[in-house]
Amino acid sequence: MNPEQFREQLLQKGIELSDTQMAQFDLYFKMLVEWNEKMNLTAITERDEVYLKHFYDSISAAFYVDFKGVGTVCDVGAGAGFPSIPIKICFPDLDVTIVDSLQKRITFLDALADALKLDKVHFHHTRAEEFGQNKAFRGSFDLVTARAVARMSVLTELCLPLVKKGGFFLAMKAMQAEQELKIGAKAIATLGGKVKDHYAFSLPIEESERNLYLIEKVKETPNKYPRKAGTPNKQPIE
């Protein structure tokens, strides 16, 4: 997917990018490749693949969720900024918080946000488990998202505690998502969530499967969750 195809495909979905936004994506791609030579940010560095598998794939969340109606977003384990930075470029009014456990990624994201002149973006170098217990952030976000970070039962414990009651956790998954959801059902219920919608679609061109799960926070998460760092992965709620 070259940049013009990217722009056209998004336009078909109702997302119109200005020349300035296209320039931001171009700079994002160039910085990703440049920094990737110094640190491992992504295995995907070929331009058309980055536009499809990182940029377009990230923004696909906005085909099903109205980000114009969202104020605050938290991206857990964003890596090189996916999905939140591409979404932020498309919807500049969003207030975005990114949590990642690796300092080098936060360093890259800080430089990226500066170069792209993004405001209302906040970066936190910490484990998601610790961030979810921080009273300043717990239960404070309209929408929390994560893209292929961990299996659903684990991801739910990292993300749902951060969602405000009435807000949403958006899990972005590839294949085998239905099986993951079945196994993760107990965790979702335990942590105060309820599956509201499931959207299945294919990425254009390569036709790979994608699944989005929108989980509403219907009651407060018990105080003991998330448990201490590493525990959700070792002893998932299943």
Side-chain angles (χ1 to χ4, degrees):
M1 179 180 280
N2 65 41
E4 278 312 309
Q5 288 172 319
F6 169 73
R7 191 178 200 170
E8 179 56 36
Q9 288 273 355
L10 290 183
L11 187 58
Q12 287 176 20
K13 296 288 187 179
I15 299 170
E16 187 173 357
L17 296 181
S18 66
D19 290 347
T20 301
Q21 288 166 311
M22 286 299 292
Q24 286 176 306
F25 279 112
D26 180 56
L27 182 54
Y28 193 167
F29 163 66
K30 286 171 179 166
M31 285 186 70
L32 182 68
V33 172
E34 181 192 337
W35 282 67
N36 202 59
E37 290 173 5
K38 299 177 273 185
M39 59 178 76
N40 181 27
L41 291 166
T42 176
I44 299 167
T45 55
E46 197 271 316
R47 185 197 68 176
D48 290 8
E49 287 212 337
V50 169
Y51 271 81
L52 175 65
K53 295 179 181 177
H54 282 328
F55 297 166
Y56 185 90
D57 189 36
S58 292
I59 299 161
S60 65
F63 305 160
Y64 306 97
V65 175
D66 180 11
F67 279 92
K68 288 174 183 162
V70 174
T72 54
V73 174
C74 181
D75 187 357
V76 174
F82 309 120
S84 56
I85 299 292
I87 291 170
K88 169 71 176 172
I89 293 171
C90 293
F91 304 94
D93 291 339
L94 284 175
D95 191 304
V96 173
T97 297
I98 290 179
V99 182
D100 202 276
S101 60
L102 278 184
Q103 180 59 55
K104 66 178 184 179
R105 289 185 194 138
I106 296 293
T107 304
F108 165 70
L109 291 168
D110 219 11
L112 179 70
D114 197 43
L116 299 183
K117 298 181 170 59
L118 300 178
D119 64 352
K120 294 196 289 188
V121 284
H122 324 278
F123 305 111
H124 296 271
H125 170 228
T126 183
R127 292 288 295 257
E129 295 94 332
E130 290 157 10
F131 194 72
Q133 283 292 359
N134 186 324
K135 287 184 171 59
F137 303 106
R138 182 182 178 87
S140 69
F141 295 98
D142 296 330
L143 184 118
V144 177
T145 187
R147 179 175 172 254
V149 173
R151 61 193 188 277
M152 190 72 91
S153 52
V154 179
L155 208 52
T156 301
E157 186 168 351
L158 302 181
C159 295
L160 258 182
L162 292 163
V163 182
K164 64 167 66 164
K165 192 174 170 187
F168 294 93
F169 161 39
L170 179 68
M172 304 181 72
K173 292 284 182 182
M175 295 169 67
Q176 299 170 317
E178 209 168 302
Q179 182 65 19
E180 272 197 46
L181 190 70
K182 280 180 188 165
I183 297 168
K186 183 180 177 185
I188 292 167
T190 302
L191 293 148
K194 181 182 180 184
V195 179
K196 186 169 188 282
D197 283 304
H198 167 223
Y199 307 100
F201 61 99
S202 297
L203 271 191
I205 301 168
E206 64 168 33
E207 296 297 316
S208 53
E209 185 186 335
R210 292 292 184 270
N211 288 273
L212 298 179
Y213 287 98
L214 193 61
I215 297 164
E216 186 176 4
K217 177 92 165 261
V218 292
K219 59 177 195 262
E220 298 297 347
T221 301
N223 290 335
K224 71 184 226 181
Y225 301 109
R227 293 165 291 170
K228 67 182 184 188
T231 305
N233 205 32
K234 289 184 196 136
Q235 299 166 19
I237 306 164
E238 291 176 356

